Structure formats: structure tokens, C-alpha cells
Amino acid sequence: MISCKLSPILLSAFVLISACKSKEATKEETPKKPKNVILLIGDGMGVSQVSSSFYFGNETSSFERFKQIGFIKTSSQSDLITDSAAGATAFSAGIKTYNGAIGMDQDTLAVPLITDKASENKVATGVISTSSVTHATPASFFAHVKRRSMEEAIAAQLPESPIDFFAGAGKDFFFNRKDSVDLSIAFTKNGFVVDTVALNTSQSLDVNKKYGFLLAPKSMPKMSEGRGDFLSEATRLGVNYLSKNKAGFFLMVEGSQIDWGGHANDSNYIVEEVKDFSKVIGEALDYAEKEGNTLVVVTADHETGGFTLASENGDYNKIKGSFSTGGHSATLIPVFAYGPGAESFQGIYENNAIYHKIIDLTQWGK
């Protein structure tokens, strides 16, 4: 047997080089502070809804591009199974609250939102949705009400909120109100330009103004009804505008109607909405990969429908959607992350940890 011994000088050099490499590796592993955050919420989107994007359609699923994946527990303060209001407030405020609460804690006290924290740090903010912007998820990022059904009260808070850009539906809650209040005056007073006709993606948005797009009375059409690329185009327009802000931006984008397909127990509805959402994720990832300073987080508030992909009539080469409920389920929800600090989203944790992870990484809480 041959043995080999290093001389003291060579051994010292080896130890020094190893130590330097170890320090370099540690330095590389330290997450860089993200300048921008894009939070994409697929309302009602569980693992089976995500899986459907791999089996239906000809496009490669954008979910396949993620390497950092975790799971969240979604129970609210009041119920084992959450609703969208409590679920979204967990993301927007970092607290567990009762079902139906928008930006309120369990004692019905208003709590600071992530958009408030961002704005205090001169960070631009936006919300985009395929529902009304007064619906539970988008509302949780700018409003404070005791019950999610108070959509006119929610609408009245948007003009004076920290939001710089919004797009979706719900113009009836702003301009065709039961109390006859015309919120266009409040929008103008607070520097908003509001369009109720089209996104006008060709226009150059002025960084010194705020912008809103309310393109349907109460909700955007389904994909099957011809909504087209609204969500992708709105996301692109929002990112182009918000990224002009030197301090960075926070943008929440909701694929609202995945949830509605689950409530309706309509597999085709779910599939088409998830495919659309996957396309939007691709837009966000393309931007993040190009810029290198943007954290993208994709998750859901809860799963809807108890949706699963089952064999069709026992044929294992054919898949159909099946359902166990017309409501929400308690299943764990996946979290996908890309960009600076993405590794922080691995593991299994409570849904309100999403807020705290973003705040810790961006340091917007300071």
C-alpha cells in the first residue's frame, strides 16, 4: 500500500485555499436583496390545478421553470378552511384573521399592508385581477373592511390608497354606485388617470401620474368568452410603468377565475384559466430573468372544488377532472419562487409567512 503525506507548507496552503473557497461559496449563497417583487396568486389553485397545465394545451407549463418550491398551510384564524379574504390578508398583512375580513385583524382593527410598507420606502405598487378589483384578493392589498361583501366601501378606499396602478373589472362599484357618489372626483384629486374602455398598451404611461383600468361592470369575461390576453397585457403594462420607479415596485397579479371554475365544478373552465395564468407567470419570469433584481412568488389562497385529475372510465391514457366539493378544500398549497431570496420559500409553513419572507428580504419593514 502506498501512503502519501503533505508537507506542512503544502498542508497550510491547502487549508487556506479551502477556507477561501468556503467563504466564496457562503458569499454566493447569501440572497441578494430584491428590488422588485411580483406576487402572482392563482385563486383556488391547488396541486391538481397546477398539474392540469402539464396535460392540456400545446404550451410548455411555466411552472416547470421553477427550482424553489414549498407548501403553505392555509387555515384562517376562524376556520380550518379559509376563504379568499382571510387568505389574501395573510399575504398582504402577515396575520391570521377571520374568514371575510379584508385588511382587518380578528378584532376588526385595520392593520398595515405590504403596499403601505412598500410605499413608505418609495416603492411603487400595483394590483391586477380578472375579477373586480374590489373582490377579496385584490381588495386585501389596499382596503380595510369588516366584510368582503362591502364592495362599495372597498372601492371608495382605492383612490386614496398607496396603489399606483390597477387593472381589472368593477367599474359599477366606482361609477354606478347605490349611494350615487362619483368616485371619478376622488381619482382625479389623487392623481389617477382612469380608463374604462381599454388597456391602451401602446401608450407611454407618465411616471408622475397614477393609472387605473376598469374594463367591465363587475368581472372580466372568462377565457372561453373571449377575454384574450388581458392578464398578460395588463401585467406587461403594469411592469413597464412601475419599473420606471427608481426605488423598485411591488405588483400583485391574481388569476381570479381559476377559483370560479372550481366552484362551478367545471374542468374546462379551470384548465383554460390555469393556462392563461401560466402565460402570465412566463411574462413575470422573463422579466425577472432579464433584470436579475426581481423576486417572483407564485401561490394560491386556497384550493377550490377538491379538484383532481382522474382516469376517464378507467382508461389510464385519458384524463378528466373530478370534484369532491363545490366549495374550498383544506389541502396544502404550493409556493413557487424565483429570483433573489427564492430559496427562502422552500419548506412547509403558514400562509402568512409569505408576507414576512418578502418583508425580510426587501427590508421594507425598516
Side-chain angles (χ1 to χ4, degrees):
M1 185 172 70
I2 300 173
S3 64
C4 178
K5 294 184 179 180
L6 293 174
S7 71
I9 295 175
L10 287 175
L11 183 60
S12 298
F14 177 77
V15 170
L16 182 61
I17 291 169
S18 297
C20 288
K21 286 185 176 180
S22 178
K23 286 181 179 179
E24 286 177 4
T26 302
K27 186 176 180 181
E28 289 174 1
E29 290 168 5
T30 302
K32 188 171 64 173
K33 176 183 173 183
K35 179 181 179 182
N36 313 311
V37 177
I38 303 175
L39 174 61
L40 298 113
I41 300 173
D43 199 306
M45 184 184 72
V47 173
S48 290
Q49 285 85 346
V50 171
S51 300
S52 72
S53 67
F54 290 82
Y55 293 104
F56 300 96
N58 299 319
E59 300 294 327
T60 300
S61 175
S62 295
F63 292 100
E64 199 166 330
R65 296 169 63 177
F66 291 97
K67 299 293 186 287
Q68 312 293 345
I69 303 168
F71 280 91
I72 50 172
K73 296 177 278 186
T74 62
S75 295
S76 69
Q77 175 270 330
S78 62
D79 296 88
L80 287 174
I81 299 177
T82 191
D83 80 327
S84 293
T89 297
F91 299 149
S92 68
I95 63 165
K96 292 278 190 176
T97 191
Y98 62 92
N99 283 5
I102 300 288
M104 293 274 194
D105 66 15
Q106 62 188 31
D107 298 317
T108 67
L109 297 174
V111 289
L113 306 177
I114 195 168
T115 47
D116 298 319
K117 300 288 188 181
S119 184
E120 288 167 4
N121 285 271
K122 311 299 182 185
V123 172
T125 61
V127 294
I128 300 171
S129 177
T130 54
S131 65
S132 167
V133 295
T134 59
H135 212 253
T137 301
S140 295
F141 288 85
F142 66 82
H144 308 273
V145 295
K146 295 179 181 179
R147 297 185 306 278
R148 58 183 291 178
S149 59
M150 301 167 64
E151 291 191 75
E152 287 197 355
I154 291 168
Q157 294 182 38
L158 182 53
E160 298 183 6
S161 75
I163 301 301
D164 299 291
F165 177 96
F166 65 86
K171 61 184 177 183
D172 278 1
F173 299 110
F174 295 88
F175 309 125
N176 188 26
R177 296 165 57 89
K178 294 176 182 177
D179 61 9
S180 301
V181 172
D182 184 0
L183 289 179
S184 61
I185 298 171
F187 276 127
T188 301
K189 178 183 175 182
N190 289 282
F192 273 98
V193 176
V194 179
D195 194 324
T196 60
V197 179
L199 278 173
N200 293 326
T201 53
S202 61
Q203 68 178 318
S204 178
L205 303 185
D206 186 347
V207 71
N208 296 309
K209 297 178 181 178
K210 297 184 175 186
Y211 291 89
F213 298 88
L214 296 168
L215 305 182
K218 287 189 168 65
S219 65
M220 298 299 293
K222 303 176 183 179
M223 283 302 292
S224 61
E225 295 172 341
R227 187 172 75 234
D229 290 330
F230 161 77
L231 199 57
S232 293
E233 291 176 355
T235 300
R236 196 178 310 123
L237 182 63
V239 167
N240 288 342
Y241 164 69
L242 295 170
S243 62
K244 295 177 182 179
N245 185 60
K246 293 181 180 179
F249 68 84
F250 170 83
L251 176 63
M252 190 288 296
V253 182
E254 183 197 28
S256 320
Q257 298 190 37
I258 300 169
D259 174 65
W260 301 355
H263 281 298
N265 284 183
D266 186 332
S267 295
N268 291 333
Y269 194 174
I270 290 173
V271 167
E272 292 305 311
E273 295 297 326
V274 172
K275 284 162 60 178
D276 181 51
F277 192 59
S278 174
K279 186 174 182 179
V280 177
I281 293 169
E283 291 276 352
L285 289 175
D286 287 346
Y287 176 82
E289 287 177 357
K290 178 183 176 183
E291 297 300 321
N293 58 6
T294 300
L295 172 65
V296 177
V297 180
V298 181
T299 190
D301 44 3
H302 54 74
E303 192 276 340
T304 305
F307 181 60
T308 188
L309 300 175
S311 64
E312 188 172 343
N313 298 322
D315 186 342
Y316 277 27
N317 277 316
K318 293 182 180 179
I319 296 172
K320 68 173 183 178
S322 62
F323 301 87
S324 65
T325 179
H328 301 169
S329 73
T331 184
L332 297 185
I333 295 297
V335 182
F336 304 85
Y338 174 87
E343 61 275 14
S344 300
F345 294 85
Q346 296 180 19
I348 299 175
Y349 41 89
E350 297 289 348
N351 55 359
N352 58 319
I354 296 280
Y355 166 93
H356 295 288
K357 291 175 186 293
I358 293 173
I359 289 292
D360 289 346
L361 287 167
T362 59
Q363 298 178 20
W364 291 341
K366 292 186 177 180

